[in-house]
Amino acid sequence: MENSGIITKNNDGSINVPDIATIPFIEGDGTGPDIWRATQTVINGAIAAAYKGSKKINWLELYVGEKGYEKTGEWLSQEALDNIKKHVVAIKGPLTTPIGKGIRSLNVTIRQKLDLFACVRPVKYIDSVPSPMKRPEKIDMVVFRENTEDVYAGIEWESQSDEANEVICFLTEKMGANIAENSGIGIKPVSAKNTKRLVASAISHAIDNGYTSVTLMHKGNIMKFTEGAFNKWGYEVAKEKFGNVTITEDELYKSYDGKLPEGKILIKDRIADMLFQQVLLRPEEFDVIATPNLNGDYISDALAAQVGGLGMAPGANIGDECAVFEATHGTAPKYAGLDKVNPSSLILSGAMMLDYMGWKEAADIIRQSLQKTVKAKTVTYDLARQIDGATEISCSAFGDAMVAKM
Ligand code: NAP
């Protein structure tokens, strides 16, 4: 049979994928095992349908989260992180954030330890999925959210702690700041290096996928040296690395009468609050959106709601060395083990993973069969409560129904 082994990465960032590829998975906590089972069935089914046995995934389970703690005494072991790095590509279900001191959030820790600097969230309408929008088919955006800094970097101190008091003392006495007594303190670092690599990967994504604009979303009118700098560095990297294919809005109106020349990508920027209304009112004007961590957190979920909610939204965390594809919702613990929730988020993340691997035929089969299954109105509870005349089926039955339609 064909070559088998692990995915490897070349110096130029491209990857080599064997026909039989070993890929690690983390099933996740709460509803994770349910949605992972359905997802695995669907991914295997799509690969079989697309390649008739000439390609296959050998799944390698990594014990992380509650299962990791039970089996190894660690929520997130170095071995699991090393395995993700070694295999270049991995997929995971949602993980509970352990309560108490120590690790803040396993998801944030995985992103930071593996330097997965871009959280990539495609938002595209799938026909027949219930949406609050009048014209949801106009929505086709991809959010590139910076993953490693901003207020998410975890640099913060509790109100009245020695550290908070010391920082307040420094800021008031040395920097002339006016800070209310007993404030908690959080720090928001935004760097040129991390901004530029994020915006560069957003522009590359636009080029590779035929998108014609990249919007820098920021709150630079207020936070000039963090969000405003993000915007400035974003334009800089567009010019430095992609000067031959990008133009700014200024250039568009000055030199091209507002009409984008063939083959060019428009780099524009929008203040965060304004963008929230523009993606609702004129979604067709936005393609790729690049933004710092916190803005990206908000806009990704708001956009997901426009096309059917978090149960339908795929995502990936991508760095220079490896990529982790994941369900975007949490563990929904009240439904754990009930075989009830919607597995589509993880299934569509699996399709993104197959795209990333170059197995696009299998990825397309997944998206088509998902659409057919929803159109047939055989759906999980969350969609059933929004679609008239729907038949509610279980999480596993939804996966089986998708495979039957491939
Ligand atoms: P959540 O698990 O996302 O669940 C909130 C609600 O969203 C659920 O009660 C359910 O709504 C709906 N929902 C979530 N997943 C669904 C699915 N697959 N199908 C259908 N509906 C779904 O958020 P949470 O309760 O705030 O968080 C629970 C735990 O997850 C926490 O420990 C949190 O830290 C963790 N978390 C992990 C990740 C991650 O791993 N990436 C992300 C977010 C949160 P209804 O009640 O209306 O049915």
Side-chain angles (χ1 to χ4, degrees), residues 170-229:
F170 168 75
L171 291 175
T172 47
E173 288 178 12
K174 295 257 167 37
M175 312 297 280
N178 183 11
I179 297 175
E181 217 179 307
N182 296 337
S183 295
I185 295 286
I187 302 280
K188 179 182 171 78
V190 173
S191 69
K193 172 180 163 262
N194 291 335
T195 297
K196 287 188 174 186
R197 66 180 182 172
L198 185 269
V199 176
S201 64
I203 297 173
S204 295
H205 187 84
I207 295 170
D208 294 345
N209 293 279
Y211 288 111
T212 56
S213 76
V214 174
T215 303
L216 304 167
M217 175 196 190
H218 62 92
K219 192 71 189 157
N221 53 333
I222 305 295
M223 290 170 275
K224 296 190 190 326
F225 306 123
T226 49
E227 300 265 330

Side-chain angles (χ1 to χ4, degrees), residues 31 35 92-98 105 107 111 310-311 326-335 340-345 380-382 385:
T31 50
I35 60 172
K92 66 173 273 294
L95 292 167
T96 304
T97 300
S105 147
N107 297 298
R111 290 170 192 171
L310 285 185
E326 67 171 358
T328 54
H329 52 74
T331 57
K334 67 182 174 186
Y335 299 120
K340 184 174 172 81
V341 297
N342 188 347
S344 299
S345 170
T380 47
Y381 82 99
D382 53 318
R385 64 189 173 190

Side-chain angles (χ1 to χ4, degrees), residues 376-377 384 387-391:
K377 299 189 178 186
I387 302 176
D388 285 339
T391 307

Side-chain angles (χ1 to χ4, degrees), residues 126-145:
I126 297 176
D127 186 24
S128 307
V129 172
S131 157
M133 299 289 284
K134 280 191 185 146
R135 304 282 305 277
E137 67 283 359
K138 288 183 170 184
I139 300 164
D140 180 1
M141 298 176 217
V142 188
V143 179
F144 273 68
R145 163 189 174 196

